[in-house]
Amino acid sequence: MSNTPELEKKFDARLEQNDFIEPKDWMPENYRKHLIRQISQHAHSEIVGMLPEGNWITRAPSLRAKMVLLAKVQDEGGHGLYLYTAAETLGTSRDELLDALHTGKAKYSSIFNYPTLTWADIGAIGWLVDGAAIMNQVMLQRTSYGPYSRAMVRICKEESFHQRQGYEIMCRLSFGTAEQKEMAQDALNRWWFPTMMMFGPPDKDSPNSEQAIKWRIKRETNDELRQKFVDRTVEQAEYLGLTIPDKNLKWNEAKKGYDFTEPDWSEFYNVIKGNGPCNKERLDARNQAHKNGEWVRAAAAAYAKKKKEAVAA
Ligand code: FAQ
């Protein structure tokens, strides 16, 4: 029953009708592989994304800020879990997925290879990085694979809280002392272009987009989402009294959107090849955490085994 034209035709017709494809449905092998690649990279991004912010939990400037940041970082761990589970429904295992991350074979979002130097960076991550993540994830709620779509619905609800916590920090700093405002501006200067890279390379250089759109895995292209993100963020920066570090940023009435400078794509490719400022640190931290958690996995497995035996007896 492999890849027969009849099954393929039925599959295409279901996509055409915006039906969800479910784990037990027939699907082309390349659709399955494409999804495992994207969902697992997304899952890895969530858990590696915990590291730059986790770094600030002990240094948050108030108890409230600490509690909010702790909750946010914990949410990201939860997002990783929903996504790994969604990937597992495609016939891969958690061990295989994590092994690919830990050995550097699998990618995760380029953005998490940049350092968080000041508290304002926590604001900038929430505002910009979560803002970009939501822009991308809102369209993924309508992705064609059911388990991925359902994970995205839940994740989007939590991400919008994350974006607001970041914007709140930016508001406090931007409307605070001159020194605080300067910190906010410095964070915006450093995070702007790396955030724009999160949407992936320009459409003309994106090898996966065309097929992803055909399969309705992606509903909008990298460039479309980047444009939407810029258009939405300019106003938010204006409210804060901060300047987006792009001299070419200009409203274009004809396209009803902003013209802007593209990020430095050579920097992007360098980062995703493993040569960003924190790639090594992030992978070392993940590997160490995995090793430290070994006894927890062993204890959980032993408990599950005992419980199963007790039920069977
Ligand atoms: N970083 O052909 P395309 C978050 C790779 S979640 C690293 O355009 P595609 C939450 C791409 O994988 C952020 N690699 O690829 C949070 C491909 O390589 P491959 C993550 C990138 O898949 C917030 C190659 O370049 N979100 O932040 C990147 O059609 C705060 C060619 O690219 C998702 O993963 C990149 N930025 O489009 C957590 C959303 N861009 O696999 C903590 C789901 C591209 O062929 C704190 N993913 N590449 O070897 C997607 O929507 C897509 O996979 C894209 C890339 C848009 C990321």
Side-chain angles (χ1 to χ4, degrees), residues 37-38 41-42 45-46 49 53 72 76 107-110 112 125 129-130 133 136-137 140 148 159 197-201 206-209 218 222 268 272:
R37 177 191 66 84
Q38 178 168 325
Q41 287 181 7
H42 195 165
S45 305
E46 298 284 354
E53 289 176 294
K72 178 191 191 285
E76 309 296 2
K107 293 192 173 70
Y108 56 85
S109 184
S110 50
F112 302 118
I125 289 182
V129 174
D130 284 280
N136 178 288
Q137 289 168 172
L140 290 175
Y148 194 23
E159 294 289 22
M197 295 173 194
M198 285 177 70
F199 298 98
S206 161
N208 301 302
S209 278
K218 272 163 118 169
N222 300 357
F268 167 79
I272 67 171

Side-chain angles (χ1 to χ4, degrees), residues 40-280:
S40 64
Q41 287 181 7
H42 195 165
H44 301 329
S45 305
E46 298 284 354
I47 62 164
V48 176
M50 297 168 78
L51 299 170
E53 289 176 294
N55 182 34
W56 274 88
I57 292 172
T58 54
R59 291 177 288 163
S62 68
L63 181 58
R64 178 180 178 276
K66 190 194 283 273
M67 289 193 313
V68 173
L69 182 59
L70 195 59
K72 178 191 191 285
V73 173
Q74 221 164 17
D75 282 353
E76 309 296 2
H79 297 174
L81 283 181
Y82 313 152
L83 289 165
Y84 283 124
T85 309
E88 282 172 312
T89 64
L90 290 155
T92 180
S93 72
R94 186 82 54 102
D95 283 345
E96 278 174 288
L97 297 172
L98 287 176
D99 188 59
L101 170 66
H102 295 146
T103 54
K105 269 189 246 146
K107 293 192 173 70
Y108 56 85
S109 184
S110 50
I111 193 72
F112 302 118
N113 292 306
Y114 291 85
T116 40
L117 304 179
T118 72
W119 176 248
D121 288 14
I122 302 305
I125 289 182
W127 172 35
L128 300 173
V129 174
D130 284 280
I134 296 169
M135 193 60 78
N136 178 288
Q137 289 168 172
V138 162
M139 66 129 180
L140 290 175
Q141 293 180 106
R142 293 178 293 117
T143 192
S144 57
Y145 187 56
Y148 194 23
S149 160
R150 289 188 286 277
M152 279 300 123
V153 171
R154 191 158 166 190
I155 289 175
C156 279
K157 290 204 172 100
E158 294 176 355
E159 294 289 22
S160 61
F161 152 71
H162 297 171
Q163 198 267 355
R164 277 176 224 172
Q165 71 84 35
Y167 198 64
E168 185 193 50
I169 295 174
M170 293 308 273
C171 282
R172 287 193 83 139
L173 296 175
S174 300
F175 299 119
T177 64
E179 201 182 337
Q180 284 173 320
K181 186 165 182 183
E182 210 174 293
M183 267 171 64
Q185 181 64 57
D186 171 61
L188 171 57
N189 293 349
R190 284 181 290 107
W191 288 91
W192 177 251
F193 284 109
T195 302
M196 302 258 280
M197 295 173 194
M198 285 177 70
F199 298 98
D203 294 351
K204 65 178 175 44
D205 303 321
S206 161
N208 301 302
S209 278
E210 196 184 334
Q211 190 57 59
I213 297 268
K214 271 194 199 142
W215 277 328
R216 302 189 182 210
I217 293 173
K218 272 163 118 169
R219 297 302 203 131
E220 289 172 83
T221 70
N222 300 357
D223 286 336
E224 284 164 354
L225 290 168
R226 194 167 10 254
Q227 180 71 54
K228 268 196 188 173
F229 171 77
V230 173
D231 293 344
R232 189 157 306 174
T233 311
V234 169
E235 227 175 281
Q236 296 167 356
E238 276 169 6
Y239 176 77
L240 296 171
L242 299 180
T243 308
I244 291 180
D246 179 1
K247 289 203 170 58
N248 299 319
L249 192 71
K250 197 165 153 256
W251 179 254
N252 180 332
E253 187 55 31
K255 74 170 185 191
K256 297 259 178 279
Y258 283 88
D259 288 333
F260 56 88
T261 307
E262 287 281 319
D264 176 354
W265 291 113
S266 62
E267 177 181 321
F268 167 79
Y269 288 114
N270 198 37
V271 172
I272 67 171
K273 263 194 233 136
N275 304 320
C278 299
N279 293 61
K280 186 176 178 312

